[in-house]
Amino acid sequence: MQTHISTTPFGRRAVSLGMIASQVAAKSVPQGATVDKWKVFYSIRDARELLGATDRSLTLLNALLSFHLEPTLSADGDLIVWPSNEALTARANGMPPTTLRRHLAVLVDCGLIIRRDSPNGKRFARKGRGGEIEQAYGFDLSPIVARAEEFQDLAEAVRDEKKAFHVAKERLTLLRRDIVKLIDAGIEENVPGNWAGVLRTYQAIVGRLPRSAPRQTVDDICTDLHGLYTEIREVLESFAKTQNPDANESHNGRHIQNSNPDPLRESESGLGNKEEAGGTAVEPDNLRSLPKRELPLGIVLDACPAVQDLAQGGAIRHWRDFLAAAELARPFLGISPSAWREAREAMGDQHAAITIAAILQRSDQINNAGGYLRSLTDRARDGKFSTWPMIMALVRAKLDATKPPKDGRGSGPSGNADGGSDLQVSPALLKTLKDPKFR
């Protein structure tokens, strides 16, 4: 007696063209085709995003494959399994019934299984007198055999894409590290060039990188960074050749030994001491009577408004923003990374940043910012430097600039006819400024 094989689902579930396509693909299985069910499952797992499958649906597929007792799936064998919902729930780690039905539908929509529903929707197998299975109603696994090569190709494509993405991120990390260190080398070695502009260009390129970037975006940014890296490298190599035109000293027989291991530091320190001797250093040696509390951020910004031009977004709201602006001001002032590092170690990050902001504010009066910073760092190590007098001097200078002329004629900088000032200073700050130790 011939038995009809069902091709439509039971109940209200409708037939889609995708289901029909899966059934057609299942019929095209070559005779004698055999695949390892777990190897195909691993390929499906790796390519699940391309197939539209989910992790929960793959848990169900794993459970369905476990009901097929043989380790292989053969086109000549019986590929229909008929577990009950209770049995599936047990092998799917207790998945709720509603979730179970939803993800079974996902497997059908992805073309991984085919429903072979009985007239009443039950799953069972009818056996003959000899115990052989004559008719089974449940889930057909034949699409897994028919599409085994397709799943393998998709999985390899996904693995190749992941590898390419990993290589692109490695390249991005190396380029970012090389560019930053080459810029620092150019500044520290006094190589001629607009290093502040180069740093801004680098930050503009990196700023286009989102938190979760696709591989194409990473490749585009790597291309731009490699171009910038090539330009910086050529400048440094050209400067190195001009500084050492004859790298092989054995040609002329001379041997020049530099007894100073850090000439940049010596030159900076020397110039810094000269500036300090000229009256640019206003810090007293006796710091015992200075306030012990930290400088308020508002007073620092009022005394050093120039640093706000380097802030991201044009505003400084927190000390974190202030430190970031100081990091940008360092190469702008031509301060070497080693001088900045020593200042942070001696003063602390916050006071070192305040010092940078004060130097930036008085950049027209300081010829060598790096040497001046090293001089202040040495004073800080000896406990003879505080940022309070430096900031108070800038605030006092700002107040003095707004005072009317002594003869009473004309108007002050604020534009008021009576020479008044628009600058508002709190009484506490005025009291502090009148303290003799800040004069």
Side-chain angles (χ1 to χ4, degrees), residues 50-126:
L50 298 180
L51 295 172
T54 61
D55 54 348
R56 304 295 293 276
S57 63
L58 292 184
T59 301
L60 277 180
L61 181 60
N62 185 294
L64 288 173
L65 289 174
S66 68
F67 285 102
H68 188 276
L69 302 181
E70 298 296 329
T72 59
L73 300 176
S74 176
D76 299 333
D78 189 2
L79 298 178
I80 297 179
V81 292
W82 54 93
S84 63
N85 285 349
E86 290 78 7
L88 273 177
T89 299
R91 295 201 184 184
N93 304 321
M95 185 180 294
T98 54
T99 307
L100 184 77
R101 290 190 293 268
R102 184 169 67 252
H103 289 289
L104 282 174
V106 171
L107 292 176
V108 174
D109 294 338
C110 294
L112 297 175
I113 61 174
I114 299 175
R115 287 183 181 272
R116 302 295 187 188
D117 290 345
S118 65
N120 61 359
K122 300 291 184 178
R123 301 179 201 127
F124 62 92
R126 182 180 294 113

Side-chain angles (χ1 to χ4, degrees), residues 104-175:
L104 282 174
V106 171
L107 292 176
V108 174
D109 294 338
C110 294
L112 297 175
I113 61 174
I114 299 175
R115 287 183 181 272
R116 302 295 187 188
D117 290 345
S118 65
N120 61 359
K122 300 291 184 178
R123 301 179 201 127
F124 62 92
R126 182 180 294 113
K127 297 182 180 180
R129 292 182 179 180
E132 72 279 1
I133 297 176
E134 293 182 349
Q135 181 67 33
Y137 296 101
F139 301 105
D140 190 350
L141 303 178
S142 56
I144 296 179
V145 181
R147 303 176 60 188
E149 294 184 2
E150 175 190 351
F151 296 149
Q152 184 178 358
D153 294 340
L154 291 175
E156 290 179 357
V158 171
R159 296 187 195 106
D160 292 342
E161 176 63 22
K162 288 184 177 180
K163 181 180 179 181
F165 189 36
H166 183 71
V167 172
K169 290 195 295 185
E170 285 183 349
R171 183 188 180 201
L172 175 65
T173 301
L174 292 175
L175 284 171

Side-chain angles (χ1 to χ4, degrees), residues 285-351:
D285 290 338
N286 185 7
L287 305 179
R288 296 179 181 177
S289 59
L290 292 179
K292 301 302 181 183
R293 64 184 184 275
E294 296 293 336
L295 273 165
L297 179 60
I299 293 180
V300 175
L301 295 178
D302 186 63
C304 310
V307 73
Q308 300 194 58
D309 296 336
L310 301 177
Q312 295 184 355
I316 296 177
R317 300 179 180 85
H318 310 285
W319 282 110
R320 182 177 60 256
D321 300 336
F322 185 81
L323 294 176
E327 288 280 0
L328 295 178
R330 177 193 65 77
F332 179 79
L333 292 170
I335 297 175
S336 64
S338 60
W340 172 235
R341 181 178 62 255
E342 292 173 4
R344 294 173 66 179
E345 292 174 354
M347 305 178 190
D349 292 346
Q350 183 172 316
H351 288 286

